[in-house]
Amino acid sequence: MQILYVHGKGGTAEECEHYKPLFPGDEVIGLDYQTFSPWETGKEIRAAVDELVKKHEDICLIANSIGAFFSMNAEIDGLIQKAYFISPIVDMEKLIEDMMKWANVTEAELEAQGIIHTEFGEDLSWEYLSYVRTHPLKWNVPTQILYGEKDQLTSLAVMKDFAGKHHAGLTVMENGEHWFHTEEQMEFLDDWLRRYSNFGH
């Protein structure tokens, strides 16, 4: 099986190294994407998967945070056999609306200005918000989701709703965060991957 890793914001393709010992019989590669919008990054992910399909029958996706969101915008459903999502962004419209509230920005202001920089470091974009509203997620791949109970970006209710609609397995780590990075969190992540290593077969 060929495994493609798609990192989250601030991450790198090299993070795929962490997953190699967990899939000893398989090849694990990371995608070093260069764009940061669902319509552009989706094309990069699709192109990478198209290349893998030429050489491999079984392709598995591991995607982190916004990497999962980009992957669901890549139209790769029919090309991959299964997916593992770690802290995926599954309702980008709600997340953008939440960030607008945090920044005290109205829709009218965002539409008028196009892009608004925020104090917490995220740019709000009218084009981005419009895109996610007109491109609802379509995802029909056997998927396992790992979610941290204290994820600040997505509520458990939103994650449960997504998992239910897409028949995905959902594992919740008590006291886990959006970013899995502590020793305890990484051990939990590794155990989760081992437990579901053969799902979908």
PDB file of all heavy atoms in Angstrom, residues 22-23 82 84 144-146 170-173 187-200:
ATOM      1  N   LEU A  22       5.136   2.923  11.684  1.00  0.00           N
ATOM      2  CA  LEU A  22       3.787   2.408  11.969  1.00  0.00           C
ATOM      3  C   LEU A  22       3.228   1.611  10.792  1.00  0.00           C
ATOM      4  O   LEU A  22       2.267   0.868  10.941  1.00  0.00           O
ATOM      5  CB  LEU A  22       2.842   3.572  12.299  1.00  0.00           C
ATOM      6  CG  LEU A  22       3.238   4.365  13.556  1.00  0.00           C
ATOM      7  CD1 LEU A  22       2.503   5.679  13.611  1.00  0.00           C
ATOM      8  CD2 LEU A  22       2.958   3.556  14.805  1.00  0.00           C
ATOM      9  N   PHE A  23       3.819   1.812   9.620  1.00  0.00           N
ATOM     10  CA  PHE A  23       3.389   1.076   8.414  1.00  0.00           C
ATOM     11  C   PHE A  23       4.627   0.449   7.779  1.00  0.00           C
ATOM     12  O   PHE A  23       5.042   0.840   6.689  1.00  0.00           O
ATOM     13  CB  PHE A  23       2.703   2.032   7.430  1.00  0.00           C
ATOM     14  CG  PHE A  23       1.418   2.615   7.955  1.00  0.00           C
ATOM     15  CD1 PHE A  23       1.419   3.823   8.627  1.00  0.00           C
ATOM     16  CD2 PHE A  23       0.205   1.961   7.777  1.00  0.00           C
ATOM     17  CE1 PHE A  23       0.241   4.369   9.119  1.00  0.00           C
ATOM     18  CE2 PHE A  23      -0.979   2.497   8.262  1.00  0.00           C
ATOM     19  CZ  PHE A  23      -0.959   3.707   8.938  1.00  0.00           C
ATOM     20  N   LYS A  82      -8.646   4.336   1.607  1.00  0.00           N
ATOM     21  CA  LYS A  82      -9.040   4.686   2.978  1.00  0.00           C
ATOM     22  C   LYS A  82      -8.262   5.907   3.429  1.00  0.00           C
ATOM     23  O   LYS A  82      -7.256   6.291   2.817  1.00  0.00           O
ATOM     24  CB  LYS A  82      -8.826   3.518   3.938  1.00  0.00           C
ATOM     25  CG  LYS A  82      -7.396   3.037   4.082  1.00  0.00           C
ATOM     26  CD  LYS A  82      -7.351   1.856   5.038  1.00  0.00           C
ATOM     27  CE  LYS A  82      -5.957   1.291   5.218  1.00  0.00           C
ATOM     28  NZ  LYS A  82      -5.915   0.192   6.175  1.00  0.00           N
ATOM     29  N   TYR A  84      -7.026   8.363   7.075  1.00  0.00           N
ATOM     30  CA  TYR A  84      -6.929   8.683   8.504  1.00  0.00           C
ATOM     31  C   TYR A  84      -6.860  10.200   8.618  1.00  0.00           C
ATOM     32  O   TYR A  84      -5.955  10.814   8.044  1.00  0.00           O
ATOM     33  CB  TYR A  84      -5.651   8.088   9.112  1.00  0.00           C
ATOM     34  CG  TYR A  84      -5.547   6.589   9.052  1.00  0.00           C
ATOM     35  CD1 TYR A  84      -4.869   5.952   8.006  1.00  0.00           C
ATOM     36  CD2 TYR A  84      -6.103   5.789  10.055  1.00  0.00           C
ATOM     37  CE1 TYR A  84      -4.755   4.573   7.950  1.00  0.00           C
ATOM     38  CE2 TYR A  84      -5.987   4.402  10.009  1.00  0.00           C
ATOM     39  CZ  TYR A  84      -5.319   3.805   8.959  1.00  0.00           C
ATOM     40  OH  TYR A  84      -5.200   2.442   8.906  1.00  0.00           O
ATOM     41  N   GLN A 144     -11.154   7.011   9.248  1.00  0.00           N
ATOM     42  CA  GLN A 144     -11.065   7.025  10.702  1.00  0.00           C
ATOM     43  C   GLN A 144     -10.587   8.410  11.123  1.00  0.00           C
ATOM     44  O   GLN A 144      -9.633   8.947  10.550  1.00  0.00           O
ATOM     45  CB  GLN A 144     -10.085   5.961  11.209  1.00  0.00           C
ATOM     46  CG  GLN A 144     -10.580   4.524  11.075  1.00  0.00           C
ATOM     47  CD  GLN A 144     -11.724   4.209  12.026  1.00  0.00           C
ATOM     48  OE1 GLN A 144     -11.952   4.885  13.022  1.00  0.00           O
ATOM     49  NE2 GLN A 144     -12.472   3.158  11.691  1.00  0.00           N
ATOM     50  N   ILE A 145     -11.242   8.992  12.139  1.00  0.00           N
ATOM     51  CA  ILE A 145     -10.917  10.341  12.599  1.00  0.00           C
ATOM     52  C   ILE A 145     -10.396  10.289  14.033  1.00  0.00           C
ATOM     53  O   ILE A 145     -10.990   9.625  14.884  1.00  0.00           O
ATOM     54  CB  ILE A 145     -12.162  11.251  12.554  1.00  0.00           C
ATOM     55  CG1 ILE A 145     -12.664  11.414  11.111  1.00  0.00           C
ATOM     56  CG2 ILE A 145     -11.873  12.630  13.169  1.00  0.00           C
ATOM     57  CD1 ILE A 145     -14.028  12.085  11.015  1.00  0.00           C
ATOM     58  N   LEU A 146      -9.301  11.016  14.269  1.00  0.00           N
ATOM     59  CA  LEU A 146      -8.794  11.209  15.623  1.00  0.00           C
ATOM     60  C   LEU A 146      -9.026  12.666  16.002  1.00  0.00           C
ATOM     61  O   LEU A 146      -8.631  13.575  15.270  1.00  0.00           O
ATOM     62  CB  LEU A 146      -7.300  10.878  15.684  1.00  0.00           C
ATOM     63  CG  LEU A 146      -6.622  11.107  17.047  1.00  0.00           C
ATOM     64  CD1 LEU A 146      -7.265  10.253  18.132  1.00  0.00           C
ATOM     65  CD2 LEU A 146      -5.124  10.805  16.954  1.00  0.00           C
ATOM     66  N   LEU A 170     -14.864   7.560  14.696  1.00  0.00           N
ATOM     67  CA  LEU A 170     -14.395   8.727  15.443  1.00  0.00           C
ATOM     68  C   LEU A 170     -13.814   8.297  16.792  1.00  0.00           C
ATOM     69  O   LEU A 170     -14.496   7.649  17.584  1.00  0.00           O
ATOM     70  CB  LEU A 170     -15.544   9.718  15.659  1.00  0.00           C
ATOM     71  CG  LEU A 170     -15.245  10.953  16.515  1.00  0.00           C
ATOM     72  CD1 LEU A 170     -14.131  11.788  15.897  1.00  0.00           C
ATOM     73  CD2 LEU A 170     -16.507  11.794  16.694  1.00  0.00           C
ATOM     74  N   THR A 171     -12.549   8.645  17.027  1.00  0.00           N
ATOM     75  CA  THR A 171     -11.889   8.387  18.310  1.00  0.00           C
ATOM     76  C   THR A 171     -11.594   9.730  18.956  1.00  0.00           C
ATOM     77  O   THR A 171     -10.987  10.604  18.330  1.00  0.00           O
ATOM     78  CB  THR A 171     -10.569   7.605  18.100  1.00  0.00           C
ATOM     79  OG1 THR A 171     -10.863   6.364  17.443  1.00  0.00           O
ATOM     80  CG2 THR A 171      -9.880   7.332  19.426  1.00  0.00           C
ATOM     81  N   VAL A 172     -12.022   9.897  20.206  1.00  0.00           N
ATOM     82  CA  VAL A 172     -11.805  11.159  20.917  1.00  0.00           C
ATOM     83  C   VAL A 172     -10.772  10.949  22.020  1.00  0.00           C
ATOM     84  O   VAL A 172     -10.924  10.064  22.856  1.00  0.00           O
ATOM     85  CB  VAL A 172     -13.129  11.684  21.529  1.00  0.00           C
ATOM     86  CG1 VAL A 172     -12.889  13.002  22.281  1.00  0.00           C
ATOM     87  CG2 VAL A 172     -14.193  11.869  20.449  1.00  0.00           C
ATOM     88  N   MET A 173      -9.726  11.750  21.997  1.00  0.00           N
ATOM     89  CA  MET A 173      -8.734  11.686  23.073  1.00  0.00           C
ATOM     90  C   MET A 173      -9.117  12.668  24.171  1.00  0.00           C
ATOM     91  O   MET A 173      -9.200  13.869  23.948  1.00  0.00           O
ATOM     92  CB  MET A 173      -7.326  12.028  22.567  1.00  0.00           C
ATOM     93  CG  MET A 173      -6.312  11.990  23.705  1.00  0.00           C
ATOM     94  SD  MET A 173      -4.626  12.427  23.225  1.00  0.00           S
ATOM     95  CE  MET A 173      -3.805  12.215  24.823  1.00  0.00           C
ATOM     96  N   GLU A 187       1.740   9.254  21.558  1.00  0.00           N
ATOM     97  CA  GLU A 187       1.560   7.829  21.881  1.00  0.00           C
ATOM     98  C   GLU A 187       0.114   7.418  21.597  1.00  0.00           C
ATOM     99  O   GLU A 187      -0.138   6.332  21.065  1.00  0.00           O
ATOM    100  CB  GLU A 187       1.889   7.570  23.355  1.00  0.00           C
ATOM    101  CG  GLU A 187       3.366   7.394  23.618  1.00  0.00           C
ATOM    102  CD  GLU A 187       3.669   7.149  25.099  1.00  0.00           C
ATOM    103  OE1 GLU A 187       2.735   6.779  25.853  1.00  0.00           O
ATOM    104  OE2 GLU A 187       4.834   7.336  25.491  1.00  0.00           O
ATOM    105  N   PHE A 188      -0.817   8.283  21.951  1.00  0.00           N
ATOM    106  CA  PHE A 188      -2.233   7.997  21.705  1.00  0.00           C
ATOM    107  C   PHE A 188      -2.488   7.894  20.203  1.00  0.00           C
ATOM    108  O   PHE A 188      -3.164   6.971  19.732  1.00  0.00           O
ATOM    109  CB  PHE A 188      -3.092   9.120  22.318  1.00  0.00           C
ATOM    110  CG  PHE A 188      -4.572   8.806  22.366  1.00  0.00           C
ATOM    111  CD1 PHE A 188      -5.159   8.315  23.527  1.00  0.00           C
ATOM    112  CD2 PHE A 188      -5.378   8.989  21.237  1.00  0.00           C
ATOM    113  CE1 PHE A 188      -6.516   8.019  23.569  1.00  0.00           C
ATOM    114  CE2 PHE A 188      -6.736   8.689  21.270  1.00  0.00           C
ATOM    115  CZ  PHE A 188      -7.308   8.206  22.442  1.00  0.00           C
ATOM    116  N   LEU A 189      -1.900   8.830  19.449  1.00  0.00           N
ATOM    117  CA  LEU A 189      -2.048   8.830  17.987  1.00  0.00           C
ATOM    118  C   LEU A 189      -1.491   7.539  17.391  1.00  0.00           C
ATOM    119  O   LEU A 189      -2.129   6.898  16.538  1.00  0.00           O
ATOM    120  CB  LEU A 189      -1.324  10.052  17.414  1.00  0.00           C
ATOM    121  CG  LEU A 189      -1.453  10.369  15.921  1.00  0.00           C
ATOM    122  CD1 LEU A 189      -1.184  11.860  15.690  1.00  0.00           C
ATOM    123  CD2 LEU A 189      -0.492   9.564  15.065  1.00  0.00           C
ATOM    124  N   ASP A 190      -0.302   7.148  17.835  1.00  0.00           N
ATOM    125  CA  ASP A 190       0.331   5.931  17.307  1.00  0.00           C
ATOM    126  C   ASP A 190      -0.508   4.691  17.632  1.00  0.00           C
ATOM    127  O   ASP A 190      -0.687   3.812  16.775  1.00  0.00           O
ATOM    128  CB  ASP A 190       1.742   5.766  17.882  1.00  0.00           C
ATOM    129  CG  ASP A 190       2.690   6.855  17.378  1.00  0.00           C
ATOM    130  OD1 ASP A 190       2.274   7.646  16.513  1.00  0.00           O
ATOM    131  OD2 ASP A 190       3.839   6.904  17.864  1.00  0.00           O
ATOM    132  N   ASP A 191      -1.014   4.631  18.864  1.00  0.00           N
ATOM    133  CA  ASP A 191      -1.852   3.493  19.254  1.00  0.00           C
ATOM    134  C   ASP A 191      -3.127   3.447  18.411  1.00  0.00           C
ATOM    135  O   ASP A 191      -3.585   2.370  18.021  1.00  0.00           O
ATOM    136  CB  ASP A 191      -2.241   3.581  20.739  1.00  0.00           C
ATOM    137  CG  ASP A 191      -1.059   3.276  21.654  1.00  0.00           C
ATOM    138  OD1 ASP A 191      -0.057   2.728  21.155  1.00  0.00           O
ATOM    139  OD2 ASP A 191      -1.140   3.605  22.849  1.00  0.00           O
ATOM    140  N   TRP A 192      -3.677   4.618  18.141  1.00  0.00           N
ATOM    141  CA  TRP A 192      -4.894   4.711  17.318  1.00  0.00           C
ATOM    142  C   TRP A 192      -4.628   4.184  15.905  1.00  0.00           C
ATOM    143  O   TRP A 192      -5.416   3.395  15.368  1.00  0.00           O
ATOM    144  CB  TRP A 192      -5.350   6.178  17.303  1.00  0.00           C
ATOM    145  CG  TRP A 192      -6.376   6.534  16.280  1.00  0.00           C
ATOM    146  CD1 TRP A 192      -7.704   6.228  16.293  1.00  0.00           C
ATOM    147  CD2 TRP A 192      -6.175   7.313  15.084  1.00  0.00           C
ATOM    148  NE1 TRP A 192      -8.335   6.760  15.187  1.00  0.00           N
ATOM    149  CE2 TRP A 192      -7.408   7.436  14.442  1.00  0.00           C
ATOM    150  CE3 TRP A 192      -5.050   7.925  14.514  1.00  0.00           C
ATOM    151  CZ2 TRP A 192      -7.570   8.130  13.237  1.00  0.00           C
ATOM    152  CZ3 TRP A 192      -5.198   8.622  13.322  1.00  0.00           C
ATOM    153  CH2 TRP A 192      -6.453   8.709  12.706  1.00  0.00           C
ATOM    154  N   LEU A 193      -3.511   4.592  15.326  1.00  0.00           N
ATOM    155  CA  LEU A 193      -3.179   4.117  13.969  1.00  0.00           C
ATOM    156  C   LEU A 193      -2.961   2.607  13.952  1.00  0.00           C
ATOM    157  O   LEU A 193      -3.401   1.923  13.030  1.00  0.00           O
ATOM    158  CB  LEU A 193      -1.931   4.831  13.448  1.00  0.00           C
ATOM    159  CG  LEU A 193      -2.167   6.212  12.834  1.00  0.00           C
ATOM    160  CD1 LEU A 193      -0.832   6.889  12.557  1.00  0.00           C
ATOM    161  CD2 LEU A 193      -2.976   6.110  11.552  1.00  0.00           C
ATOM    162  N   ARG A 194      -2.290   2.095  14.986  1.00  0.00           N
ATOM    163  CA  ARG A 194      -2.060   0.641  15.031  1.00  0.00           C
ATOM    164  C   ARG A 194      -3.391  -0.106  15.163  1.00  0.00           C
ATOM    165  O   ARG A 194      -3.604  -1.136  14.526  1.00  0.00           O
ATOM    166  CB  ARG A 194      -1.153   0.294  16.220  1.00  0.00           C
ATOM    167  CG  ARG A 194       0.302   0.654  16.002  1.00  0.00           C
ATOM    168  CD  ARG A 194       1.198   0.056  17.075  1.00  0.00           C
ATOM    169  NE  ARG A 194       2.475   0.765  17.123  1.00  0.00           N
ATOM    170  CZ  ARG A 194       2.770   1.721  18.001  1.00  0.00           C
ATOM    171  NH1 ARG A 194       1.891   2.070  18.938  1.00  0.00           N
ATOM    172  NH2 ARG A 194       3.933   2.314  17.984  1.00  0.00           N
ATOM    173  N   ARG A 195      -4.279   0.451  15.987  1.00  0.00           N
ATOM    174  CA  ARG A 195      -5.556  -0.231  16.235  1.00  0.00           C
ATOM    175  C   ARG A 195      -6.389  -0.317  14.964  1.00  0.00           C
ATOM    176  O   ARG A 195      -7.085  -1.290  14.723  1.00  0.00           O
ATOM    177  CB  ARG A 195      -6.329   0.530  17.335  1.00  0.00           C
ATOM    178  CG  ARG A 195      -7.586  -0.229  17.818  1.00  0.00           C
ATOM    179  CD  ARG A 195      -8.161   0.376  19.084  1.00  0.00           C
ATOM    180  NE  ARG A 195      -7.738   1.616  19.143  1.00  0.00           N
ATOM    181  CZ  ARG A 195      -7.946   2.771  19.792  1.00  0.00           C
ATOM    182  NH1 ARG A 195      -8.481   2.889  20.511  1.00  0.00           N
ATOM    183  NH2 ARG A 195      -7.570   3.885  19.782  1.00  0.00           N
ATOM    184  N   TYR A 196      -6.293   0.716  14.135  1.00  0.00           N
ATOM    185  CA  TYR A 196      -7.128   0.751  12.926  1.00  0.00           C
ATOM    186  C   TYR A 196      -6.319   0.495  11.658  1.00  0.00           C
ATOM    187  O   TYR A 196      -6.761   0.824  10.560  1.00  0.00           O
ATOM    188  CB  TYR A 196      -7.846   2.106  12.822  1.00  0.00           C
ATOM    189  CG  TYR A 196      -8.911   2.252  13.885  1.00  0.00           C
ATOM    190  CD1 TYR A 196      -8.719   3.090  14.981  1.00  0.00           C
ATOM    191  CD2 TYR A 196     -10.101   1.521  13.814  1.00  0.00           C
ATOM    192  CE1 TYR A 196      -9.685   3.213  15.962  1.00  0.00           C
ATOM    193  CE2 TYR A 196     -11.071   1.643  14.799  1.00  0.00           C
ATOM    194  CZ  TYR A 196     -10.867   2.482  15.859  1.00  0.00           C
ATOM    195  OH  TYR A 196     -11.822   2.587  16.844  1.00  0.00           O
ATOM    196  N   SER A 197      -5.137  -0.110  11.823  1.00  0.00           N
ATOM    197  CA  SER A 197      -4.275  -0.279  10.657  1.00  0.00           C
ATOM    198  C   SER A 197      -4.907  -1.145   9.575  1.00  0.00           C
ATOM    199  O   SER A 197      -4.604  -0.982   8.392  1.00  0.00           O
ATOM    200  CB  SER A 197      -2.925  -0.874  11.077  1.00  0.00           C
ATOM    201  OG  SER A 197      -3.118  -2.132  11.681  1.00  0.00           O
ATOM    202  N   ASN A 198      -5.800  -2.041   9.955  1.00  0.00           N
ATOM    203  CA  ASN A 198      -6.402  -2.920   8.953  1.00  0.00           C
ATOM    204  C   ASN A 198      -7.870  -2.604   8.672  1.00  0.00           C
ATOM    205  O   ASN A 198      -8.570  -3.401   8.060  1.00  0.00           O
ATOM    206  CB  ASN A 198      -6.282  -4.383   9.384  1.00  0.00           C
ATOM    207  CG  ASN A 198      -4.846  -4.853   9.273  1.00  0.00           C
ATOM    208  OD1 ASN A 198      -4.171  -4.553   8.307  1.00  0.00           O
ATOM    209  ND2 ASN A 198      -4.371  -5.576  10.282  1.00  0.00           N
ATOM    210  N   PHE A 199      -8.335  -1.438   9.119  1.00  0.00           N
ATOM    211  CA  PHE A 199      -9.748  -1.151   8.877  1.00  0.00           C
ATOM    212  C   PHE A 199      -9.976  -0.977   7.380  1.00  0.00           C
ATOM    213  O   PHE A 199      -9.071  -0.634   6.621  1.00  0.00           O
ATOM    214  CB  PHE A 199     -10.190   0.110   9.649  1.00  0.00           C
ATOM    215  CG  PHE A 199     -10.139   1.388   8.863  1.00  0.00           C
ATOM    216  CD1 PHE A 199     -11.264   1.882   8.239  1.00  0.00           C
ATOM    217  CD2 PHE A 199      -8.958   2.108   8.746  1.00  0.00           C
ATOM    218  CE1 PHE A 199     -11.216   3.065   7.512  1.00  0.00           C
ATOM    219  CE2 PHE A 199      -8.896   3.288   8.024  1.00  0.00           C
ATOM    220  CZ  PHE A 199     -10.031   3.769   7.402  1.00  0.00           C
ATOM    221  N   GLY A 200     -11.196  -1.225   6.958  1.00  0.00           N
ATOM    222  CA  GLY A 200     -11.515  -1.041   5.536  1.00  0.00           C
ATOM    223  C   GLY A 200     -11.212  -2.255   4.692  1.00  0.00           C
ATOM    224  O   GLY A 200     -11.455  -2.276   3.494  1.00  0.00           O
TER     225      GLY A 200
END
